[in-house]
Amino acid sequence: MRSDTIKLGDARAPHRSLLRACGIHENDFHKPFIAVVSSHVDVIPGHVHLNDAAQFVKKCVSEAGGVPFIFNTIGVCDGIAMGHSGMKYSLASREIIADSVETMLQAHQFDGMICLPNCDKVTPGMLMAAVRCNIPSVFVSGGPMEAGRTADGKPLDLISVFSQSAAKINGKLSAEELLETERHACPTCGSCSGMFTANSMNCLCEAIGIALPGNGTVLATSAYRKILYKKAAKQIVRMVSEFNAPQSKTKVLPREIITQESVDNAMILDLAMGGSTNTVLHLLAVAAEAGLDYSMRRFNELSEKTPNICKVSPSCGYHIEDVHNSGGIYTILGEIRRGCPGLLNENVPTVSGKKLGKVIDEYDLRSPKVLGEARKMYAVTPGGNRTAKGMSVKQMVTKTADLKLPFDPADCIRPCGKAYSPTGGLAILYGNFAPKGAVVKTAGVLPEMLKHSGPAVIFDSEPEAYIGITSGKVKAGDVVIVRFEGPKGGPGMQEMLGPTAAIKGVKLDDSVALITDGRFSGGTAGACIGHVSPEAAAGGPIGKLRDGDIIEIDIPNRTLNVKLSEEELQNRQIPPHESPVKTGYLAKYKALATSADTGGVLKW
């Protein structure tokens, strides 16, 4: 075992002495050492309950025959960091997380790890570390938050608060109405309840094969999470044992799981369910760590073949809990398999020890081979009470047939013949000021905004844009341009949830588009185009745009242009833009960051 490096032989007596001080017993030195990588942080709803989860996983690993060691990563709550300088640290935290997990795994020579992520940068950061270190790994998230409810039962989530906050600033909402939404939108622990980046990434882990069924959709509050944690603990000990058995043919490592084919599967899922545009950024970064040659153009190739069969908040009124009760991720994949035969790569390995196609058979709720265990899992429902304690709601329903849902599951997850659109929920646009591409969540764009032409209103920072929109500087028909907010320019590639929520709050979302070299929250919907590459700070032509330039958006034809001759655009100069960041981590990040078309990874 890898861990023999620190625990066997006379030369390792000092190491064993230190391990004994940590509570390790004599009979533990011949067992596999398993890292339980938690992202418990008290200031993030998606992570506040993970200390209990990590302790439970630790107990389960011990029972399965391993020796567990918990360590934690940092985490940034994008919602709390939103709209101020703290958001510059959000994407940048992904690299710290990857580096810190790598550091712990290599310094202490763990044999395998269970990752307990939940929020936006934590899941991809841990994935990057997993493929970098390439030891047996299982991901099991903390689970999604329950959706909020108004007194009359109307569903709410974090985006409701952002939109109504902008409406209140604009004088379109009373203080009492805003307070009512604020109090009810985020009722429990867990990652925010829509198909935002955290939930998108946790769902994609199922399609990629690095997580067990239910990882992305079983609620954080549900006691069923304990079953997932127990399964993950047994599986990681089994994987490590098989990896170290000389005659074993089952040696599933992250680089065998995360391949060109499995990244394609993850992208197909993302396109089918209209996930966050941030997943493009993170999948590119994970693929780069795995040594894969994966470009943004691949997303368009897959989008042409993948129908958008599921929409979740912010693109519609459904939430993750509704997707779960409709059959979860494997039912979405099952519908894709039925409607688009051959599109998915079903022969890829997963951490369950089974090929993806077999897992779809067993966990697609509409499959004739679906397991009774899967039916019970998809019957997990919200508790409906405010709580910050995970795994606290006991399941009362024993099978999905007994559920009385207030919606049609066949509408929440549609068959391909009744898709929202014949192409995927994400698209990559190219044009004269986005020569290396830009990303849009087509699933969240109103039909009348799929093609749009209008004058540019330029802002050189996210806070400046928010003020400009809420103060009335932006009019119907305009195209808001927010630049110098890319990975290098921000630095840190701030999310534009404030400006996009402001556009919705002032009732301009059906007539105004927003384009940026920054990125968007998974909670963003509307004609919002991000990741423009190269970014302005790297000399990209988005930096040459001026107020009044006519911007032409054609999402169906995947184009994004400014109505200028090539010569005129070439001759323009990018205005000087001095970043206030001179010291600290962000200064180092700025020096190494690349544009979004490469995943915003660091290069040195």
Side-chain angles (χ1 to χ4, degrees), residues 190-336:
S191 46
C192 293
S193 57
M195 191 58 78
F196 313 145
T197 307
N199 288 329
S200 295
M201 287 303 304
N202 288 332
C203 291
L204 263 55
C205 283
E206 292 189 49
I208 243 173
I210 199 80
L212 298 171
N215 176 72
T217 60
V218 174
L219 291 166
T221 52
S222 172
Y224 194 92
R225 276 268 149 205
K226 291 183 177 181
I227 296 176
L228 291 185
Y229 294 140
K230 188 171 290 189
K231 283 183 178 179
K234 288 181 178 178
Q235 193 61 17
I236 192 61
V237 173
R238 183 182 299 123
M239 287 167 67
V240 169
S241 299
E242 289 172 346
F243 178 72
N244 289 295
Q247 305 305 319
S248 174
K249 295 180 181 179
T250 310
K251 299 185 178 184
V252 181
L253 296 174
R255 283 178 179 255
E256 293 173 301
I257 292 173
I258 299 175
T259 62
Q260 188 90 17
E261 292 75 21
S262 68
V263 175
D264 275 357
N265 286 341
M267 201 61 238
I268 289 164
L269 172 64
D270 207 18
L271 292 162
M273 67 184 186
S276 165
T277 53
N278 281 320
T279 54
V280 176
L281 198 69
H282 298 321
L283 283 176
L284 287 171
V286 172
E289 287 286 356
L292 306 177
D293 183 15
Y294 209 92
S295 76
M296 286 215 296
R297 293 190 180 276
R298 182 62 177 155
F299 295 93
N300 274 350
E301 293 171 11
L302 293 172
S303 183
E304 292 301 316
K305 304 172 186 177
T306 307
N308 178 206
I309 61 172
C310 181
K311 285 190 178 183
V312 186
S313 176
S315 299
C316 77
Y318 290 123
H319 288 83
I320 290 290
E321 61 195 45
D322 304 321
V323 175
H324 180 76
N325 292 140
S326 300
I329 298 312
Y330 288 99
T331 301
I332 297 175
L333 295 178
E335 290 295 355
I336 291 296

Side-chain angles (χ1 to χ4, degrees), residues 108-122:
H108 304 100
Q109 293 291 290
F110 289 110
D111 296 302
M113 70 168 169
I114 291 184
C115 288
L116 279 73
N118 224 30
C119 287
D120 302 36
K121 311 312 155 315
V122 180

Side-chain angles (χ1 to χ4, degrees), residues 390-432:
M391 308 178 292
S392 57
V393 177
K394 292 184 179 179
Q395 185 56 37
M396 303 305 292
V397 179
T398 58
K399 53 186 178 180
T400 47
D402 295 336
L403 281 178
K404 291 180 171 53
L405 299 173
F407 62 89
D408 180 3
D411 182 63
C412 182
I413 300 175
R414 298 182 175 189
C416 292
K418 295 184 178 180
Y420 289 100
S421 69
T423 56
L426 297 172
I428 311 298
L429 312 183
Y430 294 91
N432 60 358

Side-chain angles (χ1 to χ4, degrees), residues 536-558:
I542 187 174
K544 298 180 178 182
L545 301 182
R546 297 175 183 169
D547 284 325
D549 285 344
I550 300 301
I551 306 298
E552 296 179 326
I553 302 167
D554 188 341
I555 294 173
N557 290 307
R558 309 296 194 248

